[in-house]
Amino acid sequence: MILPVYTYGQPALRNATERIEATYPELKQLVADMFETMYKAEGIGLAAPQVGFSIQLLVIDADSVSKDHKECRNFKRVMINPEIIERSEDIISLEEGCLSFPGIHEKVPRPRKIRVRYLDDSFTPHEETLEDFNARVVQHECDHLDGKVFIDKISPIRKQLNKGKLNSIIKGTASCSYRIKSIKK
């Protein structure tokens, strides 16, 4: 089932999230719905708060950008209770977008390399080192689990330059091709 994507201004995007236990009800269905929602919106990552769930769950399938970012080939993950346990000092700024911010793309500085620990959807533990765009995608989605969004990391002048677009998102008048849940709708 395709879920509405919560957009900028929705309190769900700023709420603290809770860890998930293996007994979480209908988790497999939620994961399937999140992937379906992400694909419909042509995204490469989606965190549970973006669809109204204040839990530590994210899905990623970055294969669609592998032409430009070779490391993204077959990079598909379900991450439950992810923790970034190490970040490199090497910072790189690249353009990011977000399904919760339709029409906004900005350069965001992030560590080039991270080490992340998480559970998959079978609750098998994993720990892996990610670099370049894969690391960026995981950091972006993990930020959502901490109540942070990518525009928090851009300069005040860039936020000001996007003020009109941000107001459109809040008013529910921003144009996008997928189902959204804005403040005014």
Side-chain angles (χ1 to χ4, degrees), residues 148-174:
K148 299 175 188 165
V149 292
F150 83 110
I151 61 161
D152 296 340
K153 297 183 179 295
I154 65 175
S155 71
I157 187 91
R158 294 304 308 166
K159 283 182 196 170
Q160 187 63 33
L161 290 170
N162 281 293
K163 191 172 182 151
K165 290 179 182 178
L166 293 170
N167 285 336
S168 275
I169 294 169
I170 288 172
K171 291 176 186 173
T173 59

Side-chain angles (χ1 to χ4, degrees), residues 52-160:
F53 292 84
S54 292
I55 57 174
Q56 294 182 11
L57 168 65
L58 60 91
V59 299
I60 293 170
D61 188 346
D63 192 63
S64 65
V65 298
S66 64
K67 182 178 178 188
D68 296 322
H69 305 282
K70 302 291 184 218
E71 68 277 11
C72 293
R73 175 148 321 282
N74 300 318
F75 186 67
K76 183 176 181 177
R77 303 282 188 279
V78 173
M79 294 185 172
I80 296 171
N81 305 330
E83 291 178 81
I84 297 173
I85 55 176
E86 193 176 312
R87 291 175 169 87
S88 70
E89 292 182 20
D90 186 14
I91 306 295
I92 301 218
S93 287
L94 288 176
E95 190 172 275
E96 293 183 22
C98 181
L99 297 178
S100 294
F101 291 81
I104 297 179
H105 296 85
E106 286 292 331
K107 282 193 171 187
V108 178
R110 294 196 186 270
R112 188 184 74 75
K113 185 176 178 180
I114 63 168
R115 186 146 190 83
V116 63
R117 182 181 300 143
Y118 64 94
L119 304 169
D120 65 21
D121 55 343
S122 298
F123 283 81
T124 303
H126 297 269
E127 189 172 305
E128 63 183 311
T129 298
L130 302 171
E131 297 183 39
D132 301 318
F133 210 76
N134 287 346
R136 177 168 298 276
V137 175
V138 170
Q139 289 174 83
H140 177 108
E141 299 308 330
C142 283
D143 278 353
H144 281 296
L145 303 182
D146 293 333
K148 299 175 188 165
V149 292
F150 83 110
I151 61 161
D152 296 340
K153 297 183 179 295
I154 65 175
S155 71
I157 187 91
R158 294 304 308 166
K159 283 182 196 170
Q160 187 63 33

